[in-house]
Amino acid sequence: MPVSVDGPIQVPPGLRNVVVTDTQIGDVRGGEGFYHYRQYSAIELARTKSFEEVWFLFVEGRLPEPAELARFTEDVAALRHLPEELRPLLPAIASAGDAFTPLAGLRTALSLVAAARGLPPLWDADPARRKADALLVSAITPTILAALHRLRSGLDPVEPRADLSSAANWLYMITGEVPQAQHADAVQRYLTATIDHGFNASTFTARVVASTGSDVVSAISAAIGAFVGPLHGGAPDRALDSVDEIGTPDRIDPWVRAKVSAGDRIMGFGHAVYRTEDPRSVLLREIAVGIGGPLVDFATTVERCVVEVLAELKPGRHLYTNVEFYAGVVMELCGIPRTMFTPTFAASRVIGWCANVLEQAEEGKMIRPAAHYSGPPAPQPLP
């Protein structure tokens, strides 16, 4: 609910628990270990609905009827293909720099698409055009990411197939092989569970840009910039790297104690909102155990031991695995390269970003906070 104030309000660092707007997209209830999309449990949607059904929910605000789902699936399939004006430019984007990442290339590629397609500012576009632009961006993002990955690896991009689901297409476009049904199902549930997650840093960033009336791609590109930070979406590969670094069960305890003693963050553990187990981690653990194998056995051992040591060293902190820990395990099991862990996360989250961009565009008011100046007293005479 809006609050009328006459002057600045001092708020906690990081805007923690500060409510900045109303939303009908979803919410995270950290104390309960629960989050939802619209009126539905996100985890139950991930367990029981297809990715396309939940995508429709974000676009239209309700779950589709069978005929609507069929049309929506066809529309999305048609939008997945790389725009012709982008194709000759992708090799140059993919070869840029030694520290290239697919998400950095995605920002550039999406900007080129926006220029080539003439995406208008949200302020100037009607709701139908805004929705069309958002659907285009959501549909082509996975294709661009997969193409950049393959080009960077010296391989030709793989064209998406209309007969494959979004999840199966993602694996197919990365590996060039039609995935096993179990792997496609695992990735579908992961993608569905990560479409949205409250007013996180990247979602808020997208809404700030959208509030200025800018275009959809500008808002999504800004969100990507926030998302790649290792404290946000850029941690699944780092969490799995930690599992590799530990190596054997006898090293878990000393490894954790050394990390805590050095003040280092243990990637894959702890969450800014949840005071219970992260429900996404619970789901992904179930998926990983269902696939099975030595990696899963060791990962579950690492989880149990790390949680026990952290409970001893940081009593009252409620430090459990977050989504990144088992996300990395599941993606590794399904054949996704580690350089594509965070891009996989982004391939689903772009739908949530777009939903928030469209909702913010309807609000029509620019987000313009204030800052508290803490520098030297001013004015002072010039030297």
Side-chain angles (χ1 to χ4, degrees), residues 58-375:
F58 273 84
V59 174
E60 302 294 346
R62 57 183 174 79
L63 289 169
E65 297 293 333
E68 291 177 315
L69 178 60
R71 286 195 299 272
F72 182 77
T73 301
E74 289 179 2
D75 291 343
V76 167
L79 292 172
R80 280 197 189 110
H81 295 277
L82 291 171
E84 289 302 321
E85 55 269 38
L86 181 61
R87 290 177 184 272
L89 303 173
L90 283 179
I93 296 173
S95 63
D98 295 334
F100 170 86
T101 65
L103 284 170
L106 175 64
R107 294 197 301 264
T108 300
L110 286 177
S111 296
L112 291 169
V113 171
R117 295 293 176 91
L119 268 62
L122 292 158
W123 186 258
D124 298 329
D126 61 28
R129 177 60 194 263
R130 294 172 185 168
K131 184 183 293 187
D133 290 347
L135 196 61
L136 170 66
V137 170
S138 298
I140 66 170
T141 286
T143 309
I144 292 172
L145 286 169
L148 289 172
H149 162 71
R150 289 183 65 85
L151 287 166
R152 184 73 177 186
S153 303
L155 302 169
D156 291 331
V158 173
E159 292 294 327
R161 285 175 39 170
D163 62 321
L164 296 179
S165 67
S166 295
N169 252 310
W170 176 243
L171 289 170
Y172 172 66
M173 290 189 297
I174 291 173
T175 66
E177 299 179 0
V178 176
Q180 299 176 29
Q182 185 184 37
H183 292 169
D185 180 68
V187 171
Q188 172 170 264
R189 285 189 278 169
Y190 167 73
L191 293 173
T192 304
T194 53
I195 290 175
D196 189 63
H197 200 249
F199 257 51
N200 53 76
S202 57
T203 296
F204 184 54
T205 300
R207 292 188 72 124
V208 169
V209 176
S211 79
T212 70
S214 189
D215 61 278
V216 172
V217 162
S218 292
I220 299 305
S221 296
I224 295 166
F227 188 72
V228 296
L231 299 185
H232 190 10
D237 54 327
R238 294 172 184 243
L240 197 56
D241 287 345
S242 295
V243 173
D244 289 344
E245 184 181 336
I246 293 169
T248 57
D250 60 293
R251 285 176 45 83
I252 301 172
D253 188 284
W255 184 89
V256 177
R257 294 180 187 277
K259 286 286 186 181
V260 173
S261 177
D264 295 338
R265 177 171 178 173
I266 300 178
M267 289 297 185
F269 289 81
H271 194 273
V273 177
Y274 289 118
R275 296 299 172 263
T276 64
E277 284 193 284
D278 185 332
R280 301 167 300 176
S281 181
V282 174
L283 172 70
L284 292 167
R285 184 197 301 128
E286 293 173 1
I287 295 170
V289 170
I291 298 174
L295 173 60
V296 179
D297 294 340
F298 186 52
T300 54
T301 300
V302 169
E303 177 195 16
R304 183 180 67 255
C305 295
V306 170
V307 168
E308 289 174 356
V309 176
L310 289 176
E312 173 196 335
L313 299 179
K314 296 177 178 289
R317 289 284 302 277
H318 308 292
L319 296 172
Y320 305 104
T321 52
N322 56 41
V323 65
E324 282 89 4
F325 186 82
Y326 280 107
V329 173
V330 168
M331 285 187 273
E332 183 99 339
L333 293 171
C334 293
I336 297 174
R338 293 193 188 186
T339 55
M340 294 301 285
F341 283 7
T342 301
T344 302
F345 201 163
S348 65
R349 184 55 60 85
V350 66
I351 294 171
W353 290 331
C354 281
N356 275 275
V357 165
L358 296 181
E359 186 176 67
Q360 186 64 48
E362 290 294 319
E363 190 168 308
K365 185 173 180 61
M366 189 170 71
I367 297 172
R368 175 62 169 88
H372 175 256
Y373 175 72
S374 59

